[in-house]
Amino acid sequence: MVHTESRGGGDGRSGRELCVVGVRTLWKTVGDGEFFCTECGGDRNYRRRTGRRRVVLFGLPLPLLPRSQVAPVLECASCRGRFGMEALDHPTTTRFSAMLRDAVHTVTLAVLAAGGTEARPVRDAAVGAVRNAGFDDCDEEQLLTLIEALAADTGRLPDTCASRDGLDPCGTALAIELHEALEPLAPHLAPAGREAILLQGARIAVADGPYRPAERAVLETVGRALMIGPDDTARLLATTRTSS
């Protein structure tokens, strides 16, 4: 805020006249929604607001003068904190839970499609993984039905599945789904969380014995989509193999 003073002069006026000049931001709400507030530590409602800075002159008979626009912000309805639009890149707790469930489900189907569903230990491990992820009503029949539907889906992709980083000889149409389900989730998971998803798929694969080539290829695809390096992926797969 800038203060200026003018004293009485030759016009006969005495005393002081105070002129205060300042800048004020006028906000306007243009939308709302739900986001993860880092200040509150949980899901909260927000207001999307746009603002314009204006020069304000007190003591002078002048209107508010337009100055410049400011970047839009998200204002938390609870703590009133203001955040940049990039705050929407962080999934809400509800959305994150759904992404995690879908990731485990997709990895499970990919491993089953690559290794087969003949062995009961494999089916039991798959059902357990999906239920633990949050699909409480999932059963063996549902998984087998999905696998049969995937086997019949021959028109989507050739036998060699294309991925962003090359060709995955995974023998299943789930390579694209793996990248779509895992890549958006990976940046929001700690390294231990990313490894846990890979290890869960690995435990399903080795439930009936050593990895088959197609199972290993699927799990390597999972590792890439989760931003796990090839050496770490190999180490984790070896650990699961020797401990089973």
Side-chain angles (χ1 to χ4, degrees), residues 121-137:
V122 169
R123 300 195 300 270
D124 291 343
V127 172
V130 173
R131 285 182 176 175
N132 289 336
F135 292 99
D136 298 334
D137 59 347

PDB file of all heavy atoms in Angstrom, residues 121-137:
ATOM      1  N   PRO A 121      -4.398 -73.913  -7.068  1.00  0.00           N
ATOM      2  CA  PRO A 121      -3.644 -72.905  -6.296  1.00  0.00           C
ATOM      3  C   PRO A 121      -3.560 -71.556  -7.013  1.00  0.00           C
ATOM      4  O   PRO A 121      -3.585 -70.503  -6.359  1.00  0.00           O
ATOM      5  CB  PRO A 121      -2.264 -73.548  -6.131  1.00  0.00           C
ATOM      6  CG  PRO A 121      -2.518 -75.016  -6.214  1.00  0.00           C
ATOM      7  CD  PRO A 121      -3.619 -75.166  -7.219  1.00  0.00           C
ATOM      8  N   VAL A 122      -3.469 -71.578  -8.330  1.00  0.00           N
ATOM      9  CA  VAL A 122      -3.428 -70.326  -9.103  1.00  0.00           C
ATOM     10  C   VAL A 122      -4.756 -69.599  -8.988  1.00  0.00           C
ATOM     11  O   VAL A 122      -4.797 -68.386  -8.753  1.00  0.00           O
ATOM     12  CB  VAL A 122      -3.079 -70.620 -10.576  1.00  0.00           C
ATOM     13  CG1 VAL A 122      -3.296 -69.371 -11.433  1.00  0.00           C
ATOM     14  CG2 VAL A 122      -1.643 -71.102 -10.700  1.00  0.00           C
ATOM     15  N   ARG A 123      -5.840 -70.332  -9.145  1.00  0.00           N
ATOM     16  CA  ARG A 123      -7.159 -69.701  -9.054  1.00  0.00           C
ATOM     17  C   ARG A 123      -7.403 -69.145  -7.666  1.00  0.00           C
ATOM     18  O   ARG A 123      -7.931 -68.035  -7.503  1.00  0.00           O
ATOM     19  CB  ARG A 123      -8.261 -70.705  -9.440  1.00  0.00           C
ATOM     20  CG  ARG A 123      -8.143 -71.249 -10.868  1.00  0.00           C
ATOM     21  CD  ARG A 123      -9.425 -71.927 -11.318  1.00  0.00           C
ATOM     22  NE  ARG A 123      -9.803 -73.051 -10.472  1.00  0.00           N
ATOM     23  CZ  ARG A 123      -9.412 -74.306 -10.666  1.00  0.00           C
ATOM     24  NH1 ARG A 123      -8.599 -74.605 -11.679  1.00  0.00           N
ATOM     25  NH2 ARG A 123      -9.828 -75.282  -9.865  1.00  0.00           N
ATOM     26  N   ASP A 124      -7.017 -69.908  -6.638  1.00  0.00           N
ATOM     27  CA  ASP A 124      -7.195 -69.435  -5.263  1.00  0.00           C
ATOM     28  C   ASP A 124      -6.370 -68.171  -4.999  1.00  0.00           C
ATOM     29  O   ASP A 124      -6.852 -67.224  -4.361  1.00  0.00           O
ATOM     30  CB  ASP A 124      -6.808 -70.526  -4.272  1.00  0.00           C
ATOM     31  CG  ASP A 124      -7.783 -71.704  -4.280  1.00  0.00           C
ATOM     32  OD1 ASP A 124      -8.903 -71.531  -4.810  1.00  0.00           O
ATOM     33  OD2 ASP A 124      -7.408 -72.783  -3.773  1.00  0.00           O
ATOM     34  N   ALA A 125      -5.136 -68.151  -5.476  1.00  0.00           N
ATOM     35  CA  ALA A 125      -4.281 -66.981  -5.274  1.00  0.00           C
ATOM     36  C   ALA A 125      -4.853 -65.762  -5.991  1.00  0.00           C
ATOM     37  O   ALA A 125      -4.801 -64.640  -5.474  1.00  0.00           O
ATOM     38  CB  ALA A 125      -2.866 -67.277  -5.765  1.00  0.00           C
ATOM     39  N   ALA A 126      -5.398 -65.982  -7.177  1.00  0.00           N
ATOM     40  CA  ALA A 126      -5.967 -64.878  -7.955  1.00  0.00           C
ATOM     41  C   ALA A 126      -7.198 -64.303  -7.267  1.00  0.00           C
ATOM     42  O   ALA A 126      -7.348 -63.080  -7.144  1.00  0.00           O
ATOM     43  CB  ALA A 126      -6.316 -65.359  -9.365  1.00  0.00           C
ATOM     44  N   VAL A 127      -8.091 -65.171  -6.817  1.00  0.00           N
ATOM     45  CA  VAL A 127      -9.294 -64.699  -6.130  1.00  0.00           C
ATOM     46  C   VAL A 127      -8.918 -63.952  -4.853  1.00  0.00           C
ATOM     47  O   VAL A 127      -9.477 -62.892  -4.536  1.00  0.00           O
ATOM     48  CB  VAL A 127     -10.237 -65.881  -5.819  1.00  0.00           C
ATOM     49  CG1 VAL A 127     -11.390 -65.420  -4.924  1.00  0.00           C
ATOM     50  CG2 VAL A 127     -10.792 -66.474  -7.108  1.00  0.00           C
ATOM     51  N   GLY A 128      -7.957 -64.481  -4.112  1.00  0.00           N
ATOM     52  CA  GLY A 128      -7.536 -63.817  -2.884  1.00  0.00           C
ATOM     53  C   GLY A 128      -6.958 -62.436  -3.139  1.00  0.00           C
ATOM     54  O   GLY A 128      -7.246 -61.490  -2.399  1.00  0.00           O
ATOM     55  N   ALA A 129      -6.173 -62.304  -4.195  1.00  0.00           N
ATOM     56  CA  ALA A 129      -5.567 -61.006  -4.508  1.00  0.00           C
ATOM     57  C   ALA A 129      -6.629 -59.972  -4.855  1.00  0.00           C
ATOM     58  O   ALA A 129      -6.576 -58.820  -4.388  1.00  0.00           O
ATOM     59  CB  ALA A 129      -4.577 -61.159  -5.663  1.00  0.00           C
ATOM     60  N   VAL A 130      -7.596 -60.381  -5.663  1.00  0.00           N
ATOM     61  CA  VAL A 130      -8.632 -59.443  -6.097  1.00  0.00           C
ATOM     62  C   VAL A 130      -9.531 -59.064  -4.925  1.00  0.00           C
ATOM     63  O   VAL A 130      -9.916 -57.892  -4.775  1.00  0.00           O
ATOM     64  CB  VAL A 130      -9.441 -60.047  -7.261  1.00  0.00           C
ATOM     65  CG1 VAL A 130     -10.623 -59.156  -7.618  1.00  0.00           C
ATOM     66  CG2 VAL A 130      -8.542 -60.241  -8.474  1.00  0.00           C
ATOM     67  N   ARG A 131      -9.868 -60.015  -4.084  1.00  0.00           N
ATOM     68  CA  ARG A 131     -10.694 -59.696  -2.915  1.00  0.00           C
ATOM     69  C   ARG A 131      -9.963 -58.771  -1.954  1.00  0.00           C
ATOM     70  O   ARG A 131     -10.550 -57.830  -1.416  1.00  0.00           O
ATOM     71  CB  ARG A 131     -11.101 -60.992  -2.210  1.00  0.00           C
ATOM     72  CG  ARG A 131     -12.197 -61.772  -2.929  1.00  0.00           C
ATOM     73  CD  ARG A 131     -12.586 -63.014  -2.151  1.00  0.00           C
ATOM     74  NE  ARG A 131     -13.704 -63.719  -2.768  1.00  0.00           N
ATOM     75  CZ  ARG A 131     -14.178 -64.884  -2.348  1.00  0.00           C
ATOM     76  NH1 ARG A 131     -13.615 -65.486  -1.297  1.00  0.00           N
ATOM     77  NH2 ARG A 131     -15.195 -65.452  -2.956  1.00  0.00           N
ATOM     78  N   ASN A 132      -8.690 -59.026  -1.724  1.00  0.00           N
ATOM     79  CA  ASN A 132      -7.920 -58.166  -0.832  1.00  0.00           C
ATOM     80  C   ASN A 132      -7.810 -56.746  -1.369  1.00  0.00           C
ATOM     81  O   ASN A 132      -7.645 -55.793  -0.589  1.00  0.00           O
ATOM     82  CB  ASN A 132      -6.522 -58.748  -0.617  1.00  0.00           C
ATOM     83  CG  ASN A 132      -6.538 -60.003   0.230  1.00  0.00           C
ATOM     84  OD1 ASN A 132      -7.461 -60.225   1.015  1.00  0.00           O
ATOM     85  ND2 ASN A 132      -5.521 -60.843   0.071  1.00  0.00           N
ATOM     86  N   ALA A 133      -7.900 -56.611  -2.681  1.00  0.00           N
ATOM     87  CA  ALA A 133      -7.818 -55.271  -3.289  1.00  0.00           C
ATOM     88  C   ALA A 133      -9.106 -54.485  -3.128  1.00  0.00           C
ATOM     89  O   ALA A 133      -9.116 -53.272  -3.348  1.00  0.00           O
ATOM     90  CB  ALA A 133      -7.473 -55.387  -4.770  1.00  0.00           C
ATOM     91  N   GLY A 134     -10.201 -55.169  -2.768  1.00  0.00           N
ATOM     92  CA  GLY A 134     -11.454 -54.448  -2.557  1.00  0.00           C
ATOM     93  C   GLY A 134     -12.654 -54.992  -3.284  1.00  0.00           C
ATOM     94  O   GLY A 134     -13.774 -54.532  -3.059  1.00  0.00           O
ATOM     95  N   PHE A 135     -12.450 -55.996  -4.152  1.00  0.00           N
ATOM     96  CA  PHE A 135     -13.584 -56.617  -4.839  1.00  0.00           C
ATOM     97  C   PHE A 135     -14.075 -57.788  -3.989  1.00  0.00           C
ATOM     98  O   PHE A 135     -13.797 -58.958  -4.271  1.00  0.00           O
ATOM     99  CB  PHE A 135     -13.178 -57.099  -6.240  1.00  0.00           C
ATOM    100  CG  PHE A 135     -12.874 -55.984  -7.199  1.00  0.00           C
ATOM    101  CD1 PHE A 135     -11.569 -55.610  -7.455  1.00  0.00           C
ATOM    102  CD2 PHE A 135     -13.906 -55.304  -7.841  1.00  0.00           C
ATOM    103  CE1 PHE A 135     -11.291 -54.584  -8.342  1.00  0.00           C
ATOM    104  CE2 PHE A 135     -13.629 -54.276  -8.733  1.00  0.00           C
ATOM    105  CZ  PHE A 135     -12.314 -53.911  -8.977  1.00  0.00           C
ATOM    106  N   ASP A 136     -14.815 -57.464  -2.957  1.00  0.00           N
ATOM    107  CA  ASP A 136     -15.191 -58.468  -1.964  1.00  0.00           C
ATOM    108  C   ASP A 136     -16.077 -59.571  -2.531  1.00  0.00           C
ATOM    109  O   ASP A 136     -16.064 -60.696  -2.028  1.00  0.00           O
ATOM    110  CB  ASP A 136     -15.920 -57.801  -0.791  1.00  0.00           C
ATOM    111  CG  ASP A 136     -15.045 -56.803  -0.057  1.00  0.00           C
ATOM    112  OD1 ASP A 136     -13.813 -56.966  -0.102  1.00  0.00           O
ATOM    113  OD2 ASP A 136     -15.590 -55.848   0.542  1.00  0.00           O
ATOM    114  N   ASP A 137     -16.860 -59.250  -3.560  1.00  0.00           N
ATOM    115  CA  ASP A 137     -17.792 -60.242  -4.092  1.00  0.00           C
ATOM    116  C   ASP A 137     -17.202 -61.032  -5.251  1.00  0.00           C
ATOM    117  O   ASP A 137     -17.904 -61.820  -5.894  1.00  0.00           O
ATOM    118  CB  ASP A 137     -19.086 -59.559  -4.539  1.00  0.00           C
ATOM    119  CG  ASP A 137     -18.832 -58.501  -5.607  1.00  0.00           C
ATOM    120  OD1 ASP A 137     -17.652 -58.136  -5.818  1.00  0.00           O
ATOM    121  OD2 ASP A 137     -19.819 -58.031  -6.229  1.00  0.00           O
TER     122      ASP A 137
END
